[in-house]
């Protein structure tokens, strides 16, 4: 048996014993805006978990030489994005008003740690970062609740936009709420009976807060219907009319001058 396979077997034994899981951590940072949500994940491996993670890359998608190089990390990055996207498409981890119909996943971005590079059997601290962007079809100010699905017992920070009041929160442990220009909620996903972390925040719009629509959010049809087109047409039309009048009067004036010259020439000739 190769050394790498031995280490992988040891890692699997620890995982089955639920010992290694204590050294894998997810950190969630969620920012909610009026028409979009950004969910940033930080995945942390330490100790034997970091060894197992590197071995899984080297043996799974690499050349199994007990060393993780750059091309293996790039390939792993691509696979992680596909895995993340597929998992979210199977079950969105965000709901608005207990529905997902008004939410569209825009993209998934990832950045794997440089600590993955190198010898697979050396423990290290690996921090992989992922970002998932969602687009909301309706303004969050029209919503009454927002729901998040996360890893049980994982820390979470949720930032809500200005003008949103929190009416109630469920599914979060060690909750801390800071209300300033924005509302920031921190804590941990509770571990439910089915081993899922689910947070529900009941929200209302602050009636004293006026939502201003940035110019970038103005529909394109309003942008194309700019008054400049009408102004240009109105300016061009009178200008062309004036130009025609000037040309006509010029021709008329030249004709008169020509007639006068002929007349004067005939008078002088008769004299």
């Amino acid at each position: 048996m190769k050394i790498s396979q031995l280490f992988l077997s040891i890692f699997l034994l620890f995982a089955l014993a639920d010992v290694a899981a204590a050294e894998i951590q997810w950190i969630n940072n969620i920012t909610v805006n009026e028409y979009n949500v950004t969910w940033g994940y930080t995945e942390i491996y330490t100790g034997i978990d970091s060894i197992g993670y590197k071995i899984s890359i080297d043996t799974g998608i690499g050349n199994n030489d007990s060393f993780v190089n750059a091309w293996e990390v790039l390939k792993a990055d691509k696979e992680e994005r596909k895995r993340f996207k597929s998992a979210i498409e199977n079950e969105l981890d965000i709901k608005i008003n207990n529905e997902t119909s008004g939410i569209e996943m825009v993209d998934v971005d990832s950045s794997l740690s440089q600590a993955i590079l190198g010898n697979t059997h050396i423990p290290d601290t690996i921090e992989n970062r992922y970002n998932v962007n969602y687009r909301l079809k309706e303004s969050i100010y029209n919503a009454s609740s927002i729901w998040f699905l996360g890893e049980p017992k994982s820390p979470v920070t949720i930032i809500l936009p200005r003008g949103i009041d929190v009416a109630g929160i469920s599914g979060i442990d060690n909750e801390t709420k800071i209300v300033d220009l924005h509302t920031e909620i921190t804590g941990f996903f509770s571990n439910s009976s089915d081993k899922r972390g689910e947070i529900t925040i009941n929200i209302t719009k602050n009636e004293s807060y006026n939502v201003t629509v940035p110019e970038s959010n103005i529909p394109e049809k309003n942008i194309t219907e700019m008054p400049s087109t009408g102004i240009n047409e109105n300016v061009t039309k009178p200008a062309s009319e004036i130009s025609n009048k000037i040309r006509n009067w010029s021709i008329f004036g030249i004709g008169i001058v020509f007639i006068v010259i002929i007349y004067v020439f005939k008078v002088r000739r008769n004299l």
Side-chain angles (χ1 to χ4, degrees), residues 23 44-51 54 113-117 119-127:
E23 294 181 309
I44 303 175
Y45 294 87
T46 58
I48 193 171
D49 287 305
S50 66
I51 294 175
K54 289 189 286 185
S113 174
Q114 294 298 306
I116 300 173
L117 293 169
N119 194 311
T120 58
H121 305 118
I122 297 178
D124 209 331
T125 299
I126 298 173
E127 294 189 10

mmCIF file of all heavy atoms in Angstrom, residues 23 44-51 54 113-117 119-127:
data_model
loop_
_atom_site.group_PDB
_atom_site.id
_atom_site.type_symbol
_atom_site.label_atom_id
_atom_site.label_comp_id
_atom_site.label_asym_id
_atom_site.label_seq_id
_atom_site.Cartn_x
_atom_site.Cartn_y
_atom_site.Cartn_z
ATOM 1 N N GLU A 23 -12.266 19.697 12.947
ATOM 2 C CA GLU A 23 -11.222 20.564 12.420
ATOM 3 C C GLU A 23 -11.574 21.143 11.056
ATOM 4 O O GLU A 23 -10.734 21.690 10.374
ATOM 5 C CB GLU A 23 -9.906 19.783 12.333
ATOM 6 C CG GLU A 23 -9.357 19.384 13.700
ATOM 7 C CD GLU A 23 -8.045 18.628 13.591
ATOM 8 O OE1 GLU A 23 -7.979 17.652 12.822
ATOM 9 O OE2 GLU A 23 -7.092 19.023 14.256
ATOM 10 N N ILE A 44 -12.456 26.154 5.989
ATOM 11 C CA ILE A 44 -11.157 26.049 6.659
ATOM 12 C C ILE A 44 -10.858 24.596 7.017
ATOM 13 O O ILE A 44 -11.666 23.920 7.652
ATOM 14 C CB ILE A 44 -11.117 26.921 7.930
ATOM 15 C CG1 ILE A 44 -11.424 28.379 7.592
ATOM 16 C CG2 ILE A 44 -9.756 26.811 8.612
ATOM 17 C CD1 ILE A 44 -11.516 29.282 8.805
ATOM 18 N N TYR A 45 -9.670 24.130 6.577
ATOM 19 C CA TYR A 45 -9.173 22.802 6.943
ATOM 20 C C TYR A 45 -7.903 22.984 7.772
ATOM 21 O O TYR A 45 -7.018 23.758 7.400
ATOM 22 C CB TYR A 45 -8.826 21.975 5.703
ATOM 23 C CG TYR A 45 -9.992 21.600 4.830
ATOM 24 C CD1 TYR A 45 -10.430 22.456 3.817
ATOM 25 C CD2 TYR A 45 -10.647 20.384 4.987
ATOM 26 C CE1 TYR A 45 -11.495 22.108 3.004
ATOM 27 C CE2 TYR A 45 -11.703 20.023 4.174
ATOM 28 C CZ TYR A 45 -12.126 20.888 3.183
ATOM 29 O OH TYR A 45 -13.177 20.536 2.379
ATOM 30 N N THR A 46 -7.812 22.251 8.869
ATOM 31 C CA THR A 46 -6.595 22.257 9.683
ATOM 32 C C THR A 46 -6.240 20.825 10.076
ATOM 33 O O THR A 46 -7.065 19.912 9.968
ATOM 34 C CB THR A 46 -6.781 23.105 10.958
ATOM 35 O OG1 THR A 46 -7.876 22.580 11.705
ATOM 36 C CG2 THR A 46 -7.032 24.568 10.616
ATOM 37 N N GLY A 47 -5.002 20.643 10.531
ATOM 38 C CA GLY A 47 -4.576 19.345 11.046
ATOM 39 C C GLY A 47 -4.713 18.232 10.033
ATOM 40 O O GLY A 47 -4.399 18.381 8.852
ATOM 41 N N ILE A 48 -5.208 17.083 10.501
ATOM 42 C CA ILE A 48 -5.316 15.912 9.636
ATOM 43 C C ILE A 48 -6.304 16.136 8.496
ATOM 44 O O ILE A 48 -6.195 15.512 7.436
ATOM 45 C CB ILE A 48 -5.702 14.672 10.463
ATOM 46 C CG1 ILE A 48 -5.498 13.400 9.617
ATOM 47 C CG2 ILE A 48 -7.134 14.768 10.950
ATOM 48 C CD1 ILE A 48 -5.649 12.123 10.420
ATOM 49 N N ASP A 49 -7.271 17.042 8.706
ATOM 50 C CA ASP A 49 -8.220 17.347 7.632
ATOM 51 C C ASP A 49 -7.526 18.012 6.452
ATOM 52 O O ASP A 49 -7.891 17.770 5.304
ATOM 53 C CB ASP A 49 -9.326 18.257 8.153
ATOM 54 C CG ASP A 49 -10.281 17.494 9.048
ATOM 55 O OD1 ASP A 49 -10.821 16.466 8.607
ATOM 56 O OD2 ASP A 49 -10.466 17.911 10.206
ATOM 57 N N SER A 50 -6.542 18.869 6.730
ATOM 58 C CA SER A 50 -5.813 19.509 5.635
ATOM 59 C C SER A 50 -5.012 18.466 4.859
ATOM 60 O O SER A 50 -4.906 18.547 3.623
ATOM 61 C CB SER A 50 -4.891 20.609 6.170
ATOM 62 O OG SER A 50 -3.850 20.064 6.965
ATOM 63 N N ILE A 51 -4.460 17.487 5.561
ATOM 64 C CA ILE A 51 -3.731 16.408 4.884
ATOM 65 C C ILE A 51 -4.682 15.596 4.009
ATOM 66 O O ILE A 51 -4.405 15.315 2.843
ATOM 67 C CB ILE A 51 -3.033 15.496 5.915
ATOM 68 C CG1 ILE A 51 -1.937 16.271 6.645
ATOM 69 C CG2 ILE A 51 -2.447 14.259 5.231
ATOM 70 C CD1 ILE A 51 -1.284 15.474 7.764
ATOM 71 N N LYS A 54 -5.728 17.589 0.856
ATOM 72 C CA LYS A 54 -4.676 17.642 -0.180
ATOM 73 C C LYS A 54 -4.510 16.284 -0.860
ATOM 74 O O LYS A 54 -4.317 16.209 -2.087
ATOM 75 C CB LYS A 54 -3.351 18.119 0.432
ATOM 76 C CG LYS A 54 -3.364 19.592 0.800
ATOM 77 C CD LYS A 54 -1.986 20.104 1.197
ATOM 78 C CE LYS A 54 -1.577 19.619 2.568
ATOM 79 N NZ LYS A 54 -0.277 20.214 2.986
ATOM 80 N N SER A 113 -7.061 28.091 -1.571
ATOM 81 C CA SER A 113 -5.889 28.539 -0.819
ATOM 82 C C SER A 113 -4.585 28.085 -1.466
ATOM 83 O O SER A 113 -4.479 26.961 -1.972
ATOM 84 C CB SER A 113 -5.979 28.011 0.614
ATOM 85 O OG SER A 113 -4.807 28.300 1.339
ATOM 86 N N GLN A 114 -3.589 28.953 -1.413
ATOM 87 C CA GLN A 114 -2.260 28.601 -1.901
ATOM 88 C C GLN A 114 -1.576 27.594 -0.985
ATOM 89 O O GLN A 114 -0.591 26.959 -1.373
ATOM 90 C CB GLN A 114 -1.392 29.872 -2.012
ATOM 91 C CG GLN A 114 -1.871 30.853 -3.070
ATOM 92 C CD GLN A 114 -1.838 30.252 -4.459
ATOM 93 O OE1 GLN A 114 -0.813 29.740 -4.912
ATOM 94 N NE2 GLN A 114 -2.970 30.313 -5.150
ATOM 95 N N ALA A 115 -2.122 27.427 0.227
ATOM 96 C CA ALA A 115 -1.553 26.448 1.163
ATOM 97 C C ALA A 115 -1.757 25.017 0.691
ATOM 98 O O ALA A 115 -1.148 24.089 1.227
ATOM 99 C CB ALA A 115 -2.176 26.645 2.545
ATOM 100 N N ILE A 116 -2.616 24.824 -0.308
ATOM 101 C CA ILE A 116 -2.829 23.474 -0.853
ATOM 102 C C ILE A 116 -1.580 22.991 -1.579
ATOM 103 O O ILE A 116 -1.281 21.793 -1.603
ATOM 104 C CB ILE A 116 -4.034 23.473 -1.817
ATOM 105 C CG1 ILE A 116 -5.293 23.922 -1.074
ATOM 106 C CG2 ILE A 116 -4.252 22.095 -2.427
ATOM 107 C CD1 ILE A 116 -6.488 24.117 -1.970
ATOM 108 N N LEU A 117 -0.837 23.922 -2.171
ATOM 109 C CA LEU A 117 0.360 23.565 -2.943
ATOM 110 C C LEU A 117 1.407 22.903 -2.039
ATOM 111 O O LEU A 117 1.594 23.295 -0.883
ATOM 112 C CB LEU A 117 0.956 24.810 -3.595
ATOM 113 C CG LEU A 117 0.117 25.488 -4.695
ATOM 114 C CD1 LEU A 117 0.705 26.850 -5.039
ATOM 115 C CD2 LEU A 117 0.057 24.604 -5.931
ATOM 116 N N ASN A 119 3.721 19.386 -0.504
ATOM 117 C CA ASN A 119 3.659 18.016 -0.012
ATOM 118 C C ASN A 119 2.303 17.726 0.630
ATOM 119 O O ASN A 119 1.823 18.492 1.470
ATOM 120 C CB ASN A 119 4.779 17.794 1.010
ATOM 121 C CG ASN A 119 5.002 16.338 1.326
ATOM 122 O OD1 ASN A 119 4.058 15.620 1.616
ATOM 123 N ND2 ASN A 119 6.258 15.909 1.286
ATOM 124 N N THR A 120 1.704 16.624 0.229
ATOM 125 C CA THR A 120 0.359 16.302 0.730
ATOM 126 C C THR A 120 0.348 15.868 2.185
ATOM 127 O O THR A 120 -0.692 15.925 2.839
ATOM 128 C CB THR A 120 -0.267 15.181 -0.126
ATOM 129 O OG1 THR A 120 0.584 14.031 -0.090
ATOM 130 C CG2 THR A 120 -0.465 15.630 -1.552
ATOM 131 N N HIS A 121 1.480 15.438 2.734
ATOM 132 C CA HIS A 121 1.498 14.860 4.069
ATOM 133 C C HIS A 121 1.937 15.838 5.149
ATOM 134 O O HIS A 121 2.234 15.435 6.271
ATOM 135 C CB HIS A 121 2.402 13.617 4.084
ATOM 136 C CG HIS A 121 2.015 12.612 3.048
ATOM 137 N ND1 HIS A 121 2.847 12.236 2.026
ATOM 138 C CD2 HIS A 121 0.848 11.946 2.855
ATOM 139 C CE1 HIS A 121 2.220 11.355 1.265
ATOM 140 N NE2 HIS A 121 1.018 11.170 1.741
ATOM 141 N N ILE A 122 1.995 17.110 4.794
ATOM 142 C CA ILE A 122 2.340 18.137 5.775
ATOM 143 C C ILE A 122 1.065 18.896 6.153
ATOM 144 O O ILE A 122 0.420 19.492 5.293
ATOM 145 C CB ILE A 122 3.388 19.121 5.209
ATOM 146 C CG1 ILE A 122 4.689 18.380 4.894
ATOM 147 C CG2 ILE A 122 3.633 20.253 6.193
ATOM 148 C CD1 ILE A 122 5.760 19.267 4.273
ATOM 149 N N PRO A 123 0.666 18.877 7.431
ATOM 150 C CA PRO A 123 -0.554 19.595 7.831
ATOM 151 C C PRO A 123 -0.381 21.101 7.691
ATOM 152 O O PRO A 123 0.713 21.641 7.870
ATOM 153 C CB PRO A 123 -0.728 19.184 9.299
ATOM 154 C CG PRO A 123 0.639 18.795 9.760
ATOM 155 C CD PRO A 123 1.330 18.201 8.568
ATOM 156 N N ASP A 124 -1.455 21.767 7.338
ATOM 157 C CA ASP A 124 -1.411 23.208 7.142
ATOM 158 C C ASP A 124 -2.802 23.772 7.411
ATOM 159 O O ASP A 124 -3.757 23.027 7.643
ATOM 160 C CB ASP A 124 -0.969 23.530 5.712
ATOM 161 C CG ASP A 124 -0.231 24.859 5.614
ATOM 162 O OD1 ASP A 124 -0.520 25.742 6.445
ATOM 163 O OD2 ASP A 124 0.620 25.003 4.723
ATOM 164 N N THR A 125 -2.915 25.077 7.393
ATOM 165 C CA THR A 125 -4.223 25.731 7.493
ATOM 166 C C THR A 125 -4.655 26.161 6.096
ATOM 167 O O THR A 125 -4.026 27.015 5.478
ATOM 168 C CB THR A 125 -4.173 26.958 8.421
ATOM 169 O OG1 THR A 125 -3.800 26.532 9.736
ATOM 170 C CG2 THR A 125 -5.533 27.644 8.481
ATOM 171 N N ILE A 126 -5.692 25.553 5.605
ATOM 172 C CA ILE A 126 -6.192 25.818 4.249
ATOM 173 C C ILE A 126 -7.487 26.600 4.357
ATOM 174 O O ILE A 126 -8.440 26.163 5.015
ATOM 175 C CB ILE A 126 -6.429 24.495 3.486
ATOM 176 C CG1 ILE A 126 -5.109 23.737 3.327
ATOM 177 C CG2 ILE A 126 -7.060 24.758 2.125
ATOM 178 C CD1 ILE A 126 -5.275 22.345 2.746
ATOM 179 N N GLU A 127 -7.537 27.761 3.733
ATOM 180 C CA GLU A 127 -8.738 28.596 3.733
ATOM 181 C C GLU A 127 -9.192 28.818 2.299
ATOM 182 O O GLU A 127 -8.596 29.605 1.563
ATOM 183 C CB GLU A 127 -8.476 29.936 4.421
ATOM 184 C CG GLU A 127 -8.194 29.823 5.911
ATOM 185 C CD GLU A 127 -8.145 31.170 6.600
ATOM 186 O OE1 GLU A 127 -8.520 32.184 5.955
ATOM 187 O OE2 GLU A 127 -7.745 31.223 7.774
#
